Amino acid sequence: MDLAQLPVDANGLIEFAHAHDLGNRAALDRRSADGSILRLRRGVYIEATRFAGVRPAEQHRLRALAAARQRQSAVFAGETAAIFHGLPFVGPVPDEIVLLSPNRSGRRRNGVIELARRGNERIEVRAGVRLTSVADTLVEVARRVPLPTALAMFDAALWVPRFGEREPLTTFPELEARCAERLPFPGSRKVAAVMRRATTSAETPLETISRWRFEEYGFPAPVLQFPVALPRLGTTAHLDFAWPAFGIWGEADGTGKYASTAVLVEEKRREDEVRTVTGWRCGRWGWDDAWRGPGLRDILLAAGLPTSGARRRT
């Protein structure tokens, strides 16, 4: 029997019980034995090539859906809920699935973490999946994961698009209220450290990680999305980072080598015009420079930005 004849749902998952009811158990067993389908959880499978062909965050989502099939009224929380909310995951995606416990007792077993229910969680339904609200999710994530990972999620959720294309996923008042309702709780200082650094102006995770590195290396805090009118181009450039007092601006370039020639030419034209208008020096960097750190530090030092040499403090 061909793989296409097995009962596959919209997410590509195959349930043993469904296959058995349709008389396809033997085919399922054969495909499992030859490695063409992969067991995600007991009784839940997926085509191996489909699973291998997606990013780690999507693999986590699929394994989470498989875990939910083994439970009644599963509610995703923490890092797993963040993935379902579409928040960026900077750094390694965890293997363990995070759920909200059905009661006030938490536990960790068979690759699943169940967080003790507090009773005041906001639960939403997103594409048919039950999960904690964005604000609840962020507070939980911030107390559990490294600061830059949490900060990238906070920035993405708080981002206010310049032209009002959409509403932010949450707000500072909402996050502050959710924190206050939970106090006291383990990790509250970690959450506060992320909140102090979060902004509504970061357009990409690369910009978030860049700010984190500025602080780590003791560079002055920049002005974000600094507007510069470009009369000859008939537009206004919004610089990712600007240090007007030092005559320097920075661009976190997420396109890199994958940008088309037309995009690169336009970026060069824009950069030349900003330099003409302001007289400032530009530092430009990509993801590897920011994530690893020293590359970004050297680029800013070469541009003339001073550093105190201080290390990051939480």
Side-chain angles (χ1 to χ4, degrees), residues 152-313:
M153 291 186 186
F154 270 65
D155 279 0
L158 290 163
W159 178 51
V160 178
R162 189 176 304 124
F163 302 108
E165 300 94 317
R166 66 165 178 80
E167 293 295 317
L169 302 182
T170 190
T171 63
F172 276 109
E174 185 177 10
L175 287 166
E176 290 163 356
R178 301 306 293 135
C179 283
E181 288 179 17
R182 290 171 62 122
L183 287 173
F185 63 91
S188 59
R189 293 181 64 181
K190 290 182 64 178
V191 178
V194 177
M195 291 267 283
R196 287 197 302 270
R197 292 166 170 82
T199 179
T200 62
S201 300
E203 295 184 342
T204 67
L206 175 53
E207 293 180 20
T208 298
I209 299 304
S210 297
R211 292 198 337 273
W212 176 62
R213 290 300 189 190
F214 300 158
E215 182 181 352
E216 178 180 37
Y217 290 117
F219 288 112
V223 179
L224 306 181
Q225 303 302 322
F226 186 85
V228 176
L230 306 178
R232 289 201 304 175
L233 299 182
T235 187
T236 296
H238 290 83
L239 310 181
D240 292 341
F241 309 101
W243 293 269
F246 301 100
I248 296 169
W249 93 92
E251 291 290 304
D253 185 1
T255 55
K257 64 182 180 181
Y258 300 105
S260 67
T261 300
V263 169
L264 293 174
V265 169
E266 184 60 31
E267 281 294 306
K268 182 63 167 60
R269 184 183 179 200
R270 173 181 174 275
E271 181 178 318
D272 288 344
E273 189 64 13
V274 171
R275 188 177 289 108
T276 297
V277 170
T278 64
W280 295 352
R281 299 177 299 282
C282 178
R284 183 180 291 274
W285 58 88
W287 180 262
D288 285 347
D289 299 314
W291 184 244
R292 295 177 183 176
L296 173 56
R297 177 198 60 200
D298 294 344
I299 288 168
L300 292 177
L301 288 174
L305 192 64
T307 174
S308 66
R311 302 298 290 180
R312 182 174 50 246
R313 297 287 184 270

Side-chain angles (χ1 to χ4, degrees), residues 93-106:
V93 176
D95 292 327
E96 291 181 302
I97 306 304
V98 185
L99 296 170
L100 195 61
S101 171
N103 51 55
R104 292 185 179 273
S105 297

